[in-house]
Amino acid sequence: MATIKDVAKLAGVGLGTASRVINKSGYVSEVTKKKVLDAIEQLGYIPNETARAFVTQDSKIVALFLPSIHHAFFSELAFHIEDELDKHGYNMMLCNSSGQIEKELKYINMLKQNKVSGIIGISYNSIGNELNNSMPIVLVDRHIGENIPYVSSDNYDGGQLAFQVLKDTGCINVAYIGTFSKTVITEVEKRRKGFEDAAKENGTNCTLYIEEDPIKDETAFLTTFLQVYKDIDGVFVENDIMALKLVQLAIEHNINIPEELSVIGYDGIETYSALRPRLSSIRQPIELMGRSLVELVLKRINGVQVEPVIHPVVLFKGDTTL
Amino acid sequence: MATIKDVAKLAGVGLGTASRVINKSGYVSEVTKKKVLDAIEQLGYIPNETARAFVTQDSKIVALFLPSIHHAFFSELAFHIEDELDKHGYNMMLCNSSGQIEKELKYINMLKQNKVSGIIGISYNSIGNELNNSMPIVLVDRHIGENIPYVSSDNYDGGQLAFQVLKDTGCINVAYIGTFSKTVITEVEKRRKGFEDAAKENGTNCTLYIEEDPIKDETAFLTTFLQVYKDIDGVFVENDIMALKLVQLAIEHNINIPEELSVIGYDGIETYSALRPRLSSIRQPIELMGRSLVELVLKRINGVQVEPVIHPVVLFKGDTTL
């Protein structure tokens, strides 16, 4: 976290001058004042009194930013976060960032101005420079910056578990289907790594069928897989929605599920629990994750340091594995 | 809307006394003051200065309360509402009321205290007495109170359209499947009424298969229908989720869809658009409804009177009708 010394150094002024600008006491020329204010903005410097205000001027609002609530995993998570915040007397402000960095920055500014008391967020943008670890921010899954706490499920373990289930039900030629990102390392990739490592350790042939995120035509991507990789008997798909789509396309192509092809997803979304065939899936404990996120952000609002929380996953045995 | 005269009358005091209490000027005994304040609360009276404050002390926050964001229709609606509010420089506070009246009343109080500038909401509770038509509140579907504006889709017309589609594809023995409420008249019942009226007008046999909301065991409810009403060849189900469940249960019971049984839902939820068979459904224009709700609530925040908006529906032809 930037100190007043950093501000003075960057502005090219003495400590006393920087202090006069920050405390609005004594004369400073407009030119010098601007230099100091620019340095404050550039460094994201928060004076002690503002830091104290995080505690005393608690707006009782926590902002949640999500790539899109339009996705069942996120809307279920939002439901549990709002429920838990409400129990603690906090309101939730919702921001669908849809990948727009300006929208995320708007909320970070609101945090700096005490209009919101804390932020829970998933971000795929490079906003690390805008954050510092004194801010009450807790992330879902992604690690941005060194010391910003986060909550995730044990994605690596989930990948290993997915392989174990396929192996135990007799699969001998498996594949991972999903996406990759050139710019950020996502938790999703740990699912792949866990799966790959487990297959390798077991000496099982494992195909990676991946495309850069976001996939332009998911139906074409999955149909090609079914047409080309006819020998594969078990797949782990990076999320439930894509897995369900694969199951439906396989049924349309008269591929018997799970006899000819076993499918496991990842997420364990309730929204789809009424559908048939029921998807076998590695379940993230969405409710527990929501409650942990709230616990962590409230501790951060009260100035308490916290450690990341990684929740174990479990298999939900549906109809798409033997 | 209550006036200062109504307050004075109910409190049994003169206009001057009521005015002194409201404007906090001049002497009034504690006993009299309490009478006036009680009358203000009972009538939901908002003094002019508070009314003005709605405009001048705009918090730039609109609260959205939903029965549960856990439901795909609501989460899609929330997405579009947040997006439209953001374009107008407003933030959205989200409240999953889950039927808890206390939670809804909390937001209505926040509105009275200017902590939120307006409310968009779906409520199944009897909160009509807490509202008055000077408040910037817009409802989704439900009409609470005489003059609270709302946005809905044309549910009656949707019911008529559903019948027309079944009739045009050769169904001669149709049913409506859904719920009813003993305490409130919901928009959902207009779907049933539209469907029933159209069937009657056409002289088609129409079975009502309904249970009081909420249905305790939806799977049992739908399975019984499939076992008992074997002669029915076309059904209109009150929402997409229940319709999808019926389709899946029918497939499990080896009933050919749509050859033996045509199924139409209502909602047109995007979340399920990847699923197969694709559900035929009467689509509510969710995005347009979200944007209308924002337009109306912003007008109300600025003191402009508005009329309810009813959006036309369209058929989405999927795989579950001929």
Side-chain angles (χ1 to χ4, degrees):
Chain A
M1 189 184 171
T3 65
I4 189 168
K5 282 185 193 170
D6 301 325
V7 172
K9 197 176 163 195
L10 183 64
V13 301
L15 257 181
T17 308
S19 168
R20 280 198 297 281
V21 174
I22 290 162
N23 296 305
K24 291 172 191 144
S25 67
Y27 174 77
V28 185
S29 77
E30 283 304 311
V31 176
T32 307
K33 195 174 161 186
K34 190 175 180 310
K35 281 184 193 164
V36 174
L37 292 176
D38 285 350
I40 287 171
E41 202 183 326
Q42 207 176 319
L43 294 167
Y45 169 74
I46 300 170
N48 286 337
E49 67 184 304
T50 312
R52 274 196 307 277
F54 276 135
V55 180
T56 54
Q57 292 183 21
D58 188 344
S59 69
K60 298 284 180 186
I61 298 173
V62 169
L64 171 66
F65 51 77
L66 298 175
S68 161
I69 199 158
H70 216 111
H71 181 301
F73 175 76
F74 297 139
S75 61
E76 291 183 20
L77 189 66
F79 173 84
H80 295 299
I81 290 173
E82 194 274 341
D83 187 61
E84 188 70 16
L85 282 172
D86 179 67
K87 285 182 187 159
H88 290 88
Y90 281 76
N91 298 311
M92 183 180 86
M93 204 172 258
L94 184 73
C95 164
N96 296 295
S97 62
S98 311
Q100 303 163 68
I101 192 164
E102 308 75 31
K103 235 172 142 174
E104 294 177 355
L105 295 178
K106 181 180 93 170
Y107 281 86
I108 293 168
N109 272 328
M110 285 173 69
L111 183 65
K112 288 178 182 168
Q113 297 163 16
N114 289 322
K115 288 181 184 170
V116 300
S117 307
I119 290 178
I120 297 173
I122 301 180
S123 172
Y124 301 125
N125 291 312
S126 307
I127 55 169
N129 293 339
E130 301 296 326
L131 309 181
N132 66 56
N133 61 9
S134 73
M135 289 177 176
I137 295 183
V138 182
L139 299 172
V140 187
D141 274 0
R142 273 291 310 292
H143 319 180
I144 301 172
E146 281 292 302
N147 294 305
I148 312 290
Y150 63 90
V151 172
S152 73
S153 66
D154 194 336
N155 288 282
Y156 184 83
D157 195 51
Q160 294 222 309
L161 179 57
F163 174 77
Q164 198 59 43
V165 173
L166 293 179
K167 188 199 147 202
D168 290 350
T169 55
C171 297
I172 51 169
N173 195 4
V174 301
Y176 173 88
I177 299 183
T179 59
F180 67 93
S181 165
K182 277 183 187 165
T183 51
V184 290
I185 297 166
T186 68
E187 282 288 315
V188 168
E189 286 173 45
K190 293 188 184 169
R191 298 173 195 167
R192 187 191 73 211
K193 193 77 174 51
F195 188 76
E196 265 191 286
D197 287 356
K200 204 171 181 180
E201 204 172 297
N202 191 67
T204 303
N205 187 29
C206 176
T207 302
L208 290 188
Y209 186 73
I210 54 178
E211 193 169 296
E212 191 174 0
D213 186 51
I215 293 174
K216 280 170 212 80
D217 182 345
E218 210 173 75
T219 303
F221 173 72
L222 296 172
T223 303
T224 302
F225 176 82
L226 292 171
Q227 288 165 341
V228 174
Y229 294 93
K230 291 184 188 289
D231 292 341
I232 285 174
D233 55 8
V235 290
F236 174 41
V237 187
E238 75 170 29
N239 67 57
D240 280 357
I241 295 175
M242 207 192 291
L244 274 169
K245 203 159 182 176
L246 181 72
V247 168
Q248 286 147 357
L249 289 169
I251 292 170
E252 281 182 10
H253 284 77
N254 297 314
I255 296 167
N256 284 326
I257 297 213
E259 294 78 7
E260 294 173 64
L261 182 65
S262 293
V263 178
I264 297 187
Y266 195 100
D267 277 341
I269 298 174
E270 282 293 320
T271 308
Y272 299 119
S273 62
L275 303 179
R276 298 290 176 279
R278 284 171 309 166
L279 182 71
S280 293
S281 178
I282 306 297
R283 273 202 177 158
Q284 307 197 61
I286 304 181
E287 179 172 349
L288 286 179
M289 289 169 73
R291 301 201 188 281
S292 287
L293 285 160
V294 171
E295 189 189 334
L296 261 51
V297 85
L298 295 185
K299 280 186 178 167
R300 296 294 302 115
I301 288 170
N302 290 301
V304 179
Q305 289 299 324
V306 299
E307 295 296 318
V309 175
I310 298 170
H311 284 280
V313 293
V314 293
L315 171 72
F316 171 77
K317 166 76 182 74
D319 309 319
T320 60
T321 50
L322 283 167
Chain B
M1 188 183 171
T3 65
I4 189 166
K5 282 185 194 169
D6 301 326
V7 171
K9 196 178 166 192
L10 183 64
V13 301
L15 258 182
T17 307
S19 168
R20 281 199 295 282
V21 174
I22 290 162
N23 296 306
K24 291 170 191 142
S25 67
Y27 174 76
V28 184
S29 77
E30 283 305 310
V31 176
T32 307
K33 194 173 162 188
K34 192 176 177 309
K35 280 184 193 163
V36 174
L37 293 175
D38 285 349
I40 287 172
E41 202 183 322
Q42 208 177 318
L43 295 168
Y45 169 73
I46 300 170
N48 286 338
E49 66 183 305
T50 311
R52 273 197 306 277
F54 276 133
V55 180
T56 54
Q57 293 184 22
D58 188 346
S59 68
K60 297 283 179 187
I61 297 173
V62 168
L64 172 65
F65 53 76
L66 297 176
S68 162
I69 198 158
H70 216 112
H71 182 302
F73 175 77
F74 298 139
S75 60
E76 290 182 22
L77 189 65
F79 173 84
H80 295 298
I81 290 173
E82 194 275 340
D83 187 60
E84 188 69 15
L85 283 172
D86 179 67
K87 285 182 188 160
H88 291 87
Y90 281 76
N91 298 310
M92 182 180 88
M93 204 171 258
L94 184 72
C95 164
N96 297 295
S97 62
S98 310
Q100 302 163 70
I101 192 164
E102 307 75 30
K103 240 174 138 174
E104 294 176 355
L105 295 178
K106 182 179 91 169
Y107 281 85
I108 292 168
N109 272 328
M110 286 173 69
L111 182 65
K112 289 178 180 168
Q113 296 162 18
N114 288 323
K115 287 181 183 168
V116 300
S117 307
I119 290 178
I120 297 173
I122 302 180
S123 172
Y124 301 125
N125 291 311
S126 307
I127 54 170
N129 293 339
E130 301 297 326
L131 309 182
N132 67 56
N133 61 7
S134 72
M135 290 179 176
I137 295 182
V138 181
L139 299 172
V140 186
D141 275 358
R142 273 291 309 291
H143 319 184
I144 301 173
E146 281 293 302
N147 294 305
I148 312 291
Y150 63 91
V151 172
S152 73
S153 66
D154 194 336
N155 288 283
Y156 185 83
D157 195 51
Q160 295 222 309
L161 178 57
F163 173 77
Q164 198 59 43
V165 173
L166 293 179
K167 187 199 149 204
D168 289 350
T169 55
C171 297
I172 51 169
N173 195 4
V174 302
Y176 173 89
I177 299 182
T179 59
F180 68 93
S181 166
K182 277 183 186 163
T183 52
V184 289
I185 296 165
T186 68
E187 281 289 315
V188 168
E189 285 171 48
K190 294 190 186 168
R191 296 172 196 168
R192 187 192 72 211
K193 193 77 174 51
F195 187 75
E196 264 191 287
D197 287 355
K200 203 172 182 178
E201 203 171 299
N202 192 65
T204 303
N205 186 28
C206 176
T207 301
L208 290 188
Y209 185 74
I210 55 177
E211 193 170 295
E212 191 174 358
D213 187 51
I215 293 175
K216 281 171 211 80
D217 184 344
E218 209 173 76
T219 303
F221 172 72
L222 296 173
T223 303
T224 302
F225 175 84
L226 292 172
Q227 288 165 344
V228 173
Y229 295 91
K230 290 184 189 292
D231 292 342
I232 284 174
D233 55 8
V235 290
F236 173 42
V237 187
E238 73 169 29
N239 67 58
D240 280 357
I241 296 175
M242 207 193 290
L244 274 169
K245 204 160 182 174
L246 180 72
V247 169
Q248 287 146 357
L249 288 169
I251 291 170
E252 281 182 11
H253 283 76
N254 297 314
I255 297 166
N256 284 327
I257 298 217
E259 293 79 7
E260 294 173 65
L261 182 65
S262 293
V263 179
I264 297 188
Y266 195 100
D267 276 343
I269 299 173
E270 281 294 319
T271 307
Y272 299 118
S273 62
L275 303 179
R276 298 292 176 278
R278 284 171 308 166
L279 182 70
S280 293
S281 179
I282 306 297
R283 273 202 179 158
Q284 307 197 60
I286 304 181
E287 179 172 349
L288 286 180
M289 289 170 72
R291 301 202 189 281
S292 286
L293 285 160
V294 171
E295 189 189 334
L296 260 51
V297 85
L298 295 185
K299 281 187 177 165
R300 296 296 299 118
I301 289 170
N302 290 302
V304 178
Q305 290 299 326
V306 299
E307 294 296 318
V309 175
I310 298 170
H311 285 279
V313 293
V314 292
L315 170 73
F316 171 76
K317 165 78 183 76
D319 308 319
T320 60
T321 49
L322 282 168

